[in-house]
Structures are given as structure tokens and as C-alpha cells.
Amino acid sequence: MSEIIVEQADVSGWAVYKRLLGYVRPYLRPFLISIFGFIIYASTQAAFVRLMEQIVDVIGKGGEISRIMIPLALVSIFLVRGIGSFLGNYYIALVARSVVFKLRTEMFNHLMKLPSLYFDSNNSGHTISKVTYNVEQVTGAATDALKVIVREGFTVLILLGYLFYLNWRLSLVFLLVGPFIGLVVGYASKRFRRLSRRIQHSMGDVTHVASEAINGYRVVRTFGGEEYEKKRFYDAADQNMAQSMKMVVTSAISAPLIQLIVAFAMGLLVWLALHPDILADITPGQFIAFLTAAGMLAKPTRQLTEVNATIQKGIAASLSIFELLDAKPEHDPGSHEVERVRGELEFRGVSFSYGESSEPVLHDLSFKVAAGETVALVGKSGSGKTTLVSLLPRFYAHTSGEILLDGHPLADYSLSNLRRHIALVTQHVTLFNDTLAANMAYGEMADVPEEKIVAAATAAHAMEFIDNMPEGLQTLVGENGVLLSGGQRQRLAIARAILKDAPILILDEATSALDTESERHIQSALEAVMEGRTTLVIAHRLSTIEAADRIMVLDQGRIVESGRHEELLQRDGHYAQLHRMQFRDADGDEVEVAADLDPGPGVAGPDSPTKPD
């Protein structure tokens, strides 16, 4: 039984490795050039051995021609070897970096298509690690392992190496070339450090863009930012590739250059060794040992034994990468597209659960929302409010029932067209490390004139703080708006929704981060924005939704009450109980009760966008 398991594992590993090598196939020409370079590199070892034979033959015979030709031949061998090494290392690195570039962009582009459930069930850090670190491990198996097999394999076959034995007088020659080697090593080291910092910075850009797009995927998709994010990621990955290739060029040139300097020293050593005065102090056996000690096979043998480990690491990394690439993208069977919907919504017996084995989060919901109507959703945390509104942009597909938009099932609309009609403002605002203007005019709105951006920011009361910024609309907000206060971030999100001018507006606790005075201003602005738009408002603070056309109370995924504010108070049911708990102070001051509210900052409660209720 164990033999069968091992055999299946071997077949699986080969299948993964074969698929990985498929990414090398488009770069077959540079790959063959690199193989040719490594063959040249290894073949020079045989030429070196032949040269040693010639040197032994002339020992004791002397001759000025031999003293000149043999050193020149030696230098020529190392020159050819350096060329072969450069060709092999550069072109195999070009293939490796191209595979990294192709895999990264392919993985990121696929991430832009994956459904919400993928992000809910996969840690964002691990996902980013696949894009950044795992890909690097893959190239070891796809290119580096083949490099070792070809280069070191040929070296082992011709049985040559690079260690030398000298007497103390001949060793003094290395003192002459020491400063030159020091200059090359010093320059290469400084350049390595400088390029390493650039590579680390460009790698940080790659991770940063990927992290933002993954964490803010709801905003990216709702506002049509997929192509914008793809372009940002392409530029970051391209910069990383350019810096990495500079590092490779430096490494590929410095190593053979040092070898060439050493070859000149060895040529001088041979020239001196062939002098009669030197020959008198050295035996032929010592001379041969001096030249052939470099034939020790420890290094190539060791590297050949390490190839399998490199391949296995690459296969393990490939499994995680292909797992991501094989994940099914969002189901988008719809083809219906309209210029602008009216905004009429209807839920017919809609239920939803996060998996076949999990309990339903929504139970048989049926209701209509007229075009332009404002409907508020209230209820305790975990009652299903955020899950309900997440069904509209099809972040999740309802388990049963039907949702209609202007009489057409949601599934009939293409995803891009459906989301173009929806603007979303969540409690947890997502901002990108860009300017204030770019965060408001995001995605498909990137080309809107500045006048419209200013108008939207004014309506959201954002110009009140933007005017005080050092660079106005062009001020950078930092990662996820870290340079802004919570209220300022919330206003930018509202301005973004205003600027989109979508017929359907979803407000998920949109004023939660505002102080009382700012909330009053924003509430007035939101009321103006809601005019003529179908609006779904999720609110824990009941004072903000008293003017809604209708209030629906959810409890454990069911609609238990529906009506206007005054009607629901008179019924003295669930809504009235929630209202009393918030306004139970005798003086009428608002008192929020944790049991009926969102868990608060830092707590991933059911109403959190990371885990919709």
C-alpha cells in the first residue's frame, strides 16, 4: 500500500514539475543559449587539462615560443570560460526572472477575478506570500536546477578543478594581483548593496500593491478598479525585474573578471615556472600538482547532490501557486447590460449560507424596494444585514430564491455592468496610498475632471479639511489613509460614492467614524445624495435612519418587522426595544448598548466586511 502511495506521489510531483517547466518553454531560445554557455564553461576544463599535458611535455626543453604560447593559451582558455559563464548565468537568469514575472502577473490578474469566498477563507498574508516568496522558490526548480545539472555535470565528467599548489616564492605573484581583485570585489560589493536596497524597495512595492488590492477587493470591484490595479502591479513587478537583472549583470561580469585577473597571474606563474632558474627548484610532479589540484570535485559534486532538494522546494512552492491559479474565478454567466438602471429591487424567497454544511445566514427573504426608495436595515449584530446587501453586487451568490433588478435576475447582468450601477460606502473605509483626488476618482472614474471631484468632496464636507492640506487634492493619504483621521477617511469614501453617481447606493454604517457635528453635516449631504436613488442603509445608530422611507428589522436572518419609524415605535416590537435601549436615558441622550451594536474597532464581528454577518 505504501509503495502505491509513493508511486502516486512521484507521478504527482513529476506532473507538477512538468507543468512548471511549461513556463520555461516560451523562453526556449535564451534557455538554449544559457545551456550552450555552460557547455562552453565546462569544456574549457578539458582544454585546461590538455594544456597541462603540453606544459609537462616542454618541461626541461625550454624554448621562448613555449614560454609565450602556453601563457597566452591559458589566458585564452579562461577568457572563453568567462564568456561561457556570462552567457550561461545571464540567460538562465533572464529565463528565471521572466518566469517570475509571468507567474506573478498571472497570479495577480487571477486574484482580481476570484470570488469573495476565496478571500474570506484564505489568509491575505499567505496569499501575498505566494505572489512574492513562493514564486522565487519555483525558479530554483525551473532553471537553477537545470543549470547545476548541465554545468557541474560536465565539470565532473572532465574531472577538473581550481585549487593550486605553489611554493612560497611563486605565491608572491598573487600579491601583485591582490589589489586588482580587491578593486573588483569592492566595486561589486558596493553595487550589490545598492542594488539590493533597490530590489528590496521594489519588492516592497510589489507586496504593497498586491496587499492593497487584496484587502480592498470590494472597493476595487464595485468601482471598476481591476484594470487600474493590474497596471499598478505590472509597473511594480516590471521595476523589480529591471533591478534584479542589474544585479545579475554585475554578478555575471564580476566573477569571470576576477577569474581573468587570476588567469593573468597564473600565466605569469607559468612563465616564471618555465624559467630555468625556477625549474631548478621545482620537480615535474610538483608542477603538475600545482596545476591539477584545481581538479578537486568537491564543489561540483556537492552541488549535484543538492539539486534534488532545490527541485523539491520548487515543486512544493508550485503546488501552492497552481492551487491559486486553479481556483475558479467569479461566476459571471450574465450578458445583460444597460446604460443606467432605475434601481427597482425585489427579493423573492432569498436564502443564503456560506457553505453546504453551514447554517443559513438569511432565511426566505421576500420584499420589494421601489426605485428611489430609501430602506434602512437594523438589527443586532449577526442578524444578516451586511450579508443581505453583499448579495446585490454579487459578492456572494444567494443559495436559493431570486433577486431582481428592474425585473431582471441579477445573474442576467454581467458583473462589470451590475457593479457599475452600485456605489458602496462601508464602515471600514478602504483607501489607497495615493492622492486625495485619486482616492475619490478611483477606478473607472480616474478621468473625471477636477471640478466634479471638488463638487463631490464639497458635498461630502471633505473640502473643509482638504483645503488645509499642504498639497490640496494632490496630498498623499498614506497606506490605507493612515495620515487621515477616521472621520476624514469616511468623508472621502462618501465623496467617492457621490462622484460615482450610481442609481443604487449602499451605506454600511457610513457615518460611524464621524463626530456628532460632522455627522449632522454628512447626514444632510447623504440625504441630498439619496434623493432619486435606491438606497439601502445599514445603521446601528437609529437616530440616523428615522427619515427612511422604510425600516426593516432583521433578527437571525429573518425580517421580523417592516415599516416607518413612527409605525414601528407604535407596534412596540423589536424596533421599539432597540430604540429604547439606545434612548433609555431619561434626558433623551443617546446611549449605545454594546449587545445591540457592532463589536467595535479591532473586533472581527459578524458585521465586519471581512466576515459579513
PDB file of all heavy atoms in Angstrom, residues 344-356:
ATOM      1  N   GLU A 344     -35.013  49.479  -9.190  1.00  0.00           N
ATOM      2  CA  GLU A 344     -36.085  48.732  -8.538  1.00  0.00           C
ATOM      3  C   GLU A 344     -35.578  47.337  -8.163  1.00  0.00           C
ATOM      4  O   GLU A 344     -35.100  46.591  -9.002  1.00  0.00           O
ATOM      5  CB  GLU A 344     -37.279  48.618  -9.493  1.00  0.00           C
ATOM      6  CG  GLU A 344     -38.437  47.825  -8.936  1.00  0.00           C
ATOM      7  CD  GLU A 344     -39.568  47.694  -9.946  1.00  0.00           C
ATOM      8  OE1 GLU A 344     -40.049  48.737 -10.428  1.00  0.00           O
ATOM      9  OE2 GLU A 344     -39.941  46.544 -10.278  1.00  0.00           O
ATOM     10  N   LEU A 345     -35.688  46.988  -6.886  1.00  0.00           N
ATOM     11  CA  LEU A 345     -35.173  45.724  -6.379  1.00  0.00           C
ATOM     12  C   LEU A 345     -36.302  44.849  -5.852  1.00  0.00           C
ATOM     13  O   LEU A 345     -37.288  45.364  -5.321  1.00  0.00           O
ATOM     14  CB  LEU A 345     -34.161  45.962  -5.254  1.00  0.00           C
ATOM     15  CG  LEU A 345     -32.883  46.712  -5.621  1.00  0.00           C
ATOM     16  CD1 LEU A 345     -32.110  47.076  -4.359  1.00  0.00           C
ATOM     17  CD2 LEU A 345     -32.012  45.879  -6.556  1.00  0.00           C
ATOM     18  N   GLU A 346     -36.130  43.539  -6.023  1.00  0.00           N
ATOM     19  CA  GLU A 346     -37.105  42.609  -5.460  1.00  0.00           C
ATOM     20  C   GLU A 346     -36.390  41.331  -5.017  1.00  0.00           C
ATOM     21  O   GLU A 346     -35.636  40.736  -5.775  1.00  0.00           O
ATOM     22  CB  GLU A 346     -38.192  42.267  -6.477  1.00  0.00           C
ATOM     23  CG  GLU A 346     -39.254  41.332  -5.906  1.00  0.00           C
ATOM     24  CD  GLU A 346     -40.369  41.031  -6.885  1.00  0.00           C
ATOM     25  OE1 GLU A 346     -40.327  41.567  -8.026  1.00  0.00           O
ATOM     26  OE2 GLU A 346     -41.277  40.244  -6.533  1.00  0.00           O
ATOM     27  N   PHE A 347     -36.638  40.938  -3.776  1.00  0.00           N
ATOM     28  CA  PHE A 347     -36.133  39.681  -3.239  1.00  0.00           C
ATOM     29  C   PHE A 347     -37.301  38.696  -3.176  1.00  0.00           C
ATOM     30  O   PHE A 347     -38.345  39.010  -2.596  1.00  0.00           O
ATOM     31  CB  PHE A 347     -35.563  39.879  -1.835  1.00  0.00           C
ATOM     32  CG  PHE A 347     -34.175  40.482  -1.804  1.00  0.00           C
ATOM     33  CD1 PHE A 347     -33.931  41.737  -2.339  1.00  0.00           C
ATOM     34  CD2 PHE A 347     -33.123  39.784  -1.239  1.00  0.00           C
ATOM     35  CE1 PHE A 347     -32.668  42.277  -2.314  1.00  0.00           C
ATOM     36  CE2 PHE A 347     -31.853  40.325  -1.206  1.00  0.00           C
ATOM     37  CZ  PHE A 347     -31.619  41.578  -1.747  1.00  0.00           C
ATOM     38  N   ARG A 348     -37.109  37.533  -3.754  1.00  0.00           N
ATOM     39  CA  ARG A 348     -38.154  36.507  -3.757  1.00  0.00           C
ATOM     40  C   ARG A 348     -37.642  35.241  -3.068  1.00  0.00           C
ATOM     41  O   ARG A 348     -36.894  34.461  -3.663  1.00  0.00           O
ATOM     42  CB  ARG A 348     -38.588  36.182  -5.183  1.00  0.00           C
ATOM     43  CG  ARG A 348     -39.254  37.324  -5.941  1.00  0.00           C
ATOM     44  CD  ARG A 348     -39.606  36.883  -7.367  1.00  0.00           C
ATOM     45  NE  ARG A 348     -40.275  37.933  -8.118  1.00  0.00           N
ATOM     46  CZ  ARG A 348     -40.575  37.850  -9.412  1.00  0.00           C
ATOM     47  NH1 ARG A 348     -40.257  36.725 -10.086  1.00  0.00           N
ATOM     48  NH2 ARG A 348     -41.189  38.839 -10.041  1.00  0.00           N
ATOM     49  N   GLY A 349     -38.010  35.060  -1.824  1.00  0.00           N
ATOM     50  CA  GLY A 349     -37.639  33.849  -1.101  1.00  0.00           C
ATOM     51  C   GLY A 349     -36.150  33.588  -1.064  1.00  0.00           C
ATOM     52  O   GLY A 349     -35.713  32.455  -1.225  1.00  0.00           O
ATOM     53  N   VAL A 350     -35.358  34.642  -0.824  1.00  0.00           N
ATOM     54  CA  VAL A 350     -33.901  34.525  -0.882  1.00  0.00           C
ATOM     55  C   VAL A 350     -33.353  33.958   0.419  1.00  0.00           C
ATOM     56  O   VAL A 350     -33.662  34.442   1.514  1.00  0.00           O
ATOM     57  CB  VAL A 350     -33.258  35.894  -1.177  1.00  0.00           C
ATOM     58  CG1 VAL A 350     -31.736  35.810  -1.068  1.00  0.00           C
ATOM     59  CG2 VAL A 350     -33.669  36.379  -2.562  1.00  0.00           C
ATOM     60  N   SER A 351     -32.527  32.934   0.304  1.00  0.00           N
ATOM     61  CA  SER A 351     -31.794  32.369   1.436  1.00  0.00           C
ATOM     62  C   SER A 351     -30.318  32.309   1.068  1.00  0.00           C
ATOM     63  O   SER A 351     -29.951  32.280  -0.112  1.00  0.00           O
ATOM     64  CB  SER A 351     -32.300  30.970   1.787  1.00  0.00           C
ATOM     65  OG  SER A 351     -33.661  30.998   2.176  1.00  0.00           O
ATOM     66  N   PHE A 352     -29.477  32.282   2.097  1.00  0.00           N
ATOM     67  CA  PHE A 352     -28.035  32.261   1.842  1.00  0.00           C
ATOM     68  C   PHE A 352     -27.315  31.584   2.999  1.00  0.00           C
ATOM     69  O   PHE A 352     -27.652  31.770   4.166  1.00  0.00           O
ATOM     70  CB  PHE A 352     -27.473  33.673   1.671  1.00  0.00           C
ATOM     71  CG  PHE A 352     -25.967  33.706   1.568  1.00  0.00           C
ATOM     72  CD1 PHE A 352     -25.331  33.375   0.389  1.00  0.00           C
ATOM     73  CD2 PHE A 352     -25.200  34.052   2.673  1.00  0.00           C
ATOM     74  CE1 PHE A 352     -23.943  33.387   0.302  1.00  0.00           C
ATOM     75  CE2 PHE A 352     -23.812  34.070   2.595  1.00  0.00           C
ATOM     76  CZ  PHE A 352     -23.183  33.734   1.407  1.00  0.00           C
ATOM     77  N   SER A 353     -26.312  30.761   2.648  1.00  0.00           N
ATOM     78  CA  SER A 353     -25.407  30.183   3.634  1.00  0.00           C
ATOM     79  C   SER A 353     -24.023  30.164   3.009  1.00  0.00           C
ATOM     80  O   SER A 353     -23.870  30.133   1.786  1.00  0.00           O
ATOM     81  CB  SER A 353     -25.837  28.768   4.022  1.00  0.00           C
ATOM     82  OG  SER A 353     -25.832  27.912   2.887  1.00  0.00           O
ATOM     83  N   TYR A 354     -22.969  30.180   3.852  1.00  0.00           N
ATOM     84  CA  TYR A 354     -21.595  30.269   3.372  1.00  0.00           C
ATOM     85  C   TYR A 354     -21.049  28.935   2.887  1.00  0.00           C
ATOM     86  O   TYR A 354     -19.988  28.886   2.296  1.00  0.00           O
ATOM     87  CB  TYR A 354     -20.691  30.836   4.473  1.00  0.00           C
ATOM     88  CG  TYR A 354     -20.896  32.311   4.675  1.00  0.00           C
ATOM     89  CD1 TYR A 354     -21.641  32.790   5.747  1.00  0.00           C
ATOM     90  CD2 TYR A 354     -20.351  33.229   3.784  1.00  0.00           C
ATOM     91  CE1 TYR A 354     -21.834  34.149   5.927  1.00  0.00           C
ATOM     92  CE2 TYR A 354     -20.539  34.585   3.960  1.00  0.00           C
ATOM     93  CZ  TYR A 354     -21.277  35.043   5.032  1.00  0.00           C
ATOM     94  OH  TYR A 354     -21.471  36.381   5.204  1.00  0.00           O
ATOM     95  N   GLY A 355     -21.752  27.883   3.140  1.00  0.00           N
ATOM     96  CA  GLY A 355     -21.322  26.572   2.665  1.00  0.00           C
ATOM     97  C   GLY A 355     -22.472  25.590   2.799  1.00  0.00           C
ATOM     98  O   GLY A 355     -23.466  25.846   3.495  1.00  0.00           O
ATOM     99  N   GLU A 356     -22.335  24.461   2.120  1.00  0.00           N
ATOM    100  CA  GLU A 356     -23.416  23.490   2.143  1.00  0.00           C
ATOM    101  C   GLU A 356     -23.665  22.944   3.543  1.00  0.00           C
ATOM    102  O   GLU A 356     -24.800  22.624   3.894  1.00  0.00           O
ATOM    103  CB  GLU A 356     -23.085  22.330   1.198  1.00  0.00           C
ATOM    104  CG  GLU A 356     -23.006  22.739  -0.280  1.00  0.00           C
ATOM    105  CD  GLU A 356     -22.692  21.564  -1.170  1.00  0.00           C
ATOM    106  OE1 GLU A 356     -22.523  20.450  -0.628  1.00  0.00           O
ATOM    107  OE2 GLU A 356     -22.617  21.745  -2.401  1.00  0.00           O
TER     108      GLU A 356
END
